[in-house]
Amino acid sequence: MDKKPLKDHREISKLDSRGLRDHREIGQELELFFTNEIAPGAPFWLPKGMVIFKELEKYIRELTQNAGYLETSTPIMVKSQLFRDSGHWEKFGEHNMYNLEILDEPEGMGLSKNMALMYTLKPMNCPESTILYRFRPRSYRELPLRLSEIGRLHRREKSGEVNGLLRVRQLTMDDAHIYATEDQIFDEVSSILDMMIEFYKSFGFEYDFRLATRPEMRAGSDKNWDRAEKELKEALEKKGIKSGDKLGDGAFYGPKIDVHIKDSQGREWQLATVQLDFHQPEAFKLEYIDETGSKKRPVMIHRAIFGSFERFIAILTEHFQGAFPTWLSPVQVVIIPISEKNNEYAKKVADTLIHESIRVEVDGRGETMQSKIRDANLQKVPYMLIVGGREEEAQKVSIRKRGGEDLGQMTLEDFSGTIEKDIESKT
Ligand SMILES: [Zn+2]
């Protein structure tokens, strides 16, 4: 593990003065993730960090599947021509992408020789999503077609701007693209806003919405921009959501609604986004056949609920200062046998809980009970089960919560009910 960047960062951390710690420190101490100079801007995930990553993935999959999304996956490395066609090469900037020259493949798709040799590590999923859409002719009956993708992206951030997990060069996005008719825009945007609200509430974040309007550097006609901005404004207004304006801060292909959240330290982060796009359907000639049999152009809606897993986990780590809610905690229960005589009973209790998909560790070290409790607290484990002779005789466990609250003795069955309720509530 590379400890050096940790020290450098501590000097610039503003959290220190309030006794709060930065996600890199917490990430190393709780063995969640770290960065190493061998891969600047790309985190290494340790097993405990991966638990958090996978739980988030599970949650977002649940939300999207329930909302009628279909999951897809597209290649990480594609011919650069795709980003020329989409407008990203020029507007997002080729210098912000990783472009590779592949020498042993001189032919391709009738492209100019130079472009056929150039490949790009995708910085976003959108242009490839349009290839999925064009896989076959589409009918109005299929719309809205909601295609989600948990895609790994690469962005060429300057080395001075790379910052732990907050700003990375390799990121994983909870992305989706919705292809819809113009009449469907309002309902689609509304249900995305609902999904965002549900998601952010479950973490206890305060949130507010901002409408980001047309930037100076943009693609598409003013008529399309007028219409798109109006649609988003109406979706916000009809939901009774008060929103601020971010003038000129839209994407180059369309306006967006950004969601800002406030964490437990009162800091503001921009996370979620819904973007309306008339440009890319045009650039990629997307079509559907309407009720009368004629060809129409769909609208494309881009949306992410929390943006990047890396950045969101960094924010969560600092927001909770490592004391994650039970559903996200890498270890949910530590079992502490009072003496070695109780190790066997501790193991039996652990097996029962593991069988119920609860993440359990047994602390069978020869340390005192007090020091085991202290260590479990330092590891921010939500529940400690203390088992000694008395517990074993009564076939019960003594329960302490993180932070010191004593729940007394319970049967294992009652405890399972308590923790399962806690996990389900996501609070
Ligand atoms: Zn997109």
Side-chain angles (χ1 to χ4, degrees):
M1 221 184 280
D2 185 8
K3 298 258 181 197
K4 203 164 150 270
L6 186 66
K7 196 164 162 261
D8 294 343
H9 186 76
R10 212 181 264 145
E11 288 159 14
I12 55 165
S13 173
K14 299 276 181 292
L15 294 170
D16 269 2
S17 58
R18 288 182 283 168
L20 297 167
R21 291 176 323 144
D22 161 278
H23 69 278
R24 296 188 230 203
E25 271 181 276
I26 300 169
Q28 288 211 2
E29 195 170 295
L30 301 185
E31 298 195 358
L32 306 176
F33 45 74
F34 62 93
T35 53
N36 184 294
E37 60 190 0
I38 204 74
F44 284 79
W45 291 93
L46 289 157
K48 287 181 177 171
M50 213 47 211
V51 170
I52 299 173
F53 197 106
K54 285 190 295 184
E55 285 293 338
L56 271 180
E57 207 171 35
K58 203 166 102 192
Y59 184 25
I60 200 70
R61 279 205 167 100
E62 248 169 51
L63 279 180
T64 50
Q65 275 167 19
N66 292 344
Y69 286 70
L70 306 168
E71 187 165 346
T72 62
S73 180
T74 61
I76 288 177
M77 191 170 86
V78 285
K79 288 189 174 152
S80 306
Q81 183 66 40
L82 183 69
F83 293 101
R84 291 234 172 188
D85 294 344
S86 69
H88 286 96
W89 195 265
E90 191 193 338
K91 301 282 192 332
F92 179 78
E94 59 166 294
H95 53 278
N96 291 320
M97 314 182 200
Y98 288 103
N99 302 309
L100 315 158
E101 208 172 317
I102 309 285
L103 293 171
D104 62 350
E105 206 181 285
E107 269 146 272
M109 302 188 347
L111 308 169
S112 74
K113 201 174 174 204
N114 280 343
M115 280 313 290
L117 290 171
M118 289 293 287
Y119 279 75
T120 294
L121 300 183
K122 65 175 171 181
M124 61 270 305
N125 300 303
C126 343
E128 287 191 59
S129 169
T130 68
I131 296 176
L132 290 174
Y133 182 88
R134 284 179 293 163
F135 169 66
R136 61 170 167 73
R138 302 288 179 179
S139 149
Y140 72 95
R141 287 193 195 87
E142 292 177 80
L143 307 185
L145 181 65
R146 309 179 186 98
L147 301 179
S148 66
E149 173 163 11
I150 295 178
R152 190 148 277 179
L153 309 177
H154 292 81
R155 292 181 183 177
R156 203 164 165 177
E157 302 285 355
K158 292 192 195 94
S159 58
E161 284 167 5
V162 167
N163 172 11
L165 263 60
L166 283 172
R167 190 114 179 216
V168 288
R169 289 174 171 166
Q170 178 192 285
L171 58 133
T172 319
M173 201 164 158
D174 76 302
D175 209 359
H177 296 95
I178 298 159
Y179 301 89
T181 68
E182 286 184 24
D183 295 344
Q184 292 166 338
I185 295 174
F186 177 77
D187 283 346
E188 287 306 305
V189 172
S190 295
S191 70
I192 293 167
L193 295 178
D194 287 340
M195 196 190 288
M196 286 171 174
I197 290 171
E198 181 184 344
F199 184 84
Y200 287 115
K201 268 192 182 158
S202 66
F203 291 95
F205 288 125
E206 287 176 43
Y207 50 83
D208 74 288
F209 294 82
R210 316 266 167 90
L211 179 65
T213 56
R214 67 194 79 185
E216 232 160 78
M217 190 94 130
R218 62 179 180 264
S221 70
D222 280 352
K223 193 177 127 242
N224 279 348
W225 277 92
D226 288 342
R227 192 165 43 149
E229 285 173 3
K230 191 169 150 267
E231 290 281 359
L232 291 185
K233 205 172 215 143
E234 271 175 19
L236 286 166
E237 278 168 8
K238 285 194 190 157
K239 288 206 95 54
I241 296 171
K242 270 203 191 131
S243 63
D245 276 358
K246 285 163 90 175
L247 295 174
D249 213 23
F252 76 82
Y253 47 75
K256 51 183 186 155
I257 296 171
D258 287 336
V259 185
H260 290 237
I261 58 139
K262 219 181 237 176
D263 70 12
S264 62
Q265 281 100 59
R267 293 174 304 170
E268 214 181 76
W269 304 96
Q270 191 235 304
L271 290 180
T273 178
V274 196
Q275 309 178 350
L276 213 48
D277 185 355
F278 292 99
H279 166 72
Q280 289 193 65
E282 200 82 47
F284 290 110
K285 311 230 171 330
L286 305 186
E287 288 171 344
Y288 67 91
I289 307 294
D290 75 1
E291 294 91 324
T292 66
S294 50
K295 286 179 180 170
K296 284 269 170 62
R297 186 134 291 159
V299 180
M300 190 173 176
I301 302 169
H302 309 246
R303 78 103 184 95
I305 302 296
F306 55 81
S308 102
F309 280 75
E310 289 77 7
R311 186 158 173 270
F312 189 58
I313 290 174
I315 292 166
L316 285 182
T317 304
E318 293 184 9
H319 176 65
F320 293 118
Q321 287 290 297
F324 295 98
T326 308
W327 74 280
L328 276 179
S329 289
V331 178
Q332 295 167 319
V333 176
V334 168
I335 299 172
I336 302 176
I338 293 179
S339 79
E340 279 178 26
K341 279 187 292 189
N342 311 115
N343 280 358
E344 205 173 308
Y345 179 56
K347 175 89 177 35
K348 208 180 107 199
V349 170
D351 287 345
T352 309
L353 294 173
I354 289 167
H355 195 69
E356 291 171 30
S357 303
I358 292 163
R359 297 185 288 268
V360 182
E361 275 181 5
V362 176
D363 189 348
R365 295 175 302 160
E367 306 283 330
T368 64
M369 186 178 79
Q370 278 68 27
S371 81
K372 289 183 194 176
I373 290 174
R374 197 190 56 225
D375 287 348
N377 263 318
L378 285 172
Q379 285 294 307
K380 315 279 186 195
V381 179
Y383 291 93
M384 287 156 243
L385 304 191
I386 294 146
V387 295
R390 258 186 297 169
E391 283 81 5
E392 189 167 348
E393 207 171 294
Q395 290 292 295
K396 287 185 172 176
V397 289
S398 288
I399 299 146
R400 257 170 182 268
K401 284 186 87 172
R402 177 172 59 198
E405 192 191 344
D406 190 345
L407 299 186
Q409 277 196 1
M410 272 189 206
T411 64
L412 204 48
E413 208 183 344
D414 285 346
F415 173 68
S416 296
T418 305
I419 191 170
E420 268 159 26
K421 225 185 271 166
D422 184 7
I423 290 167
E424 236 165 78
S425 76
K426 288 198 163 61
T427 47

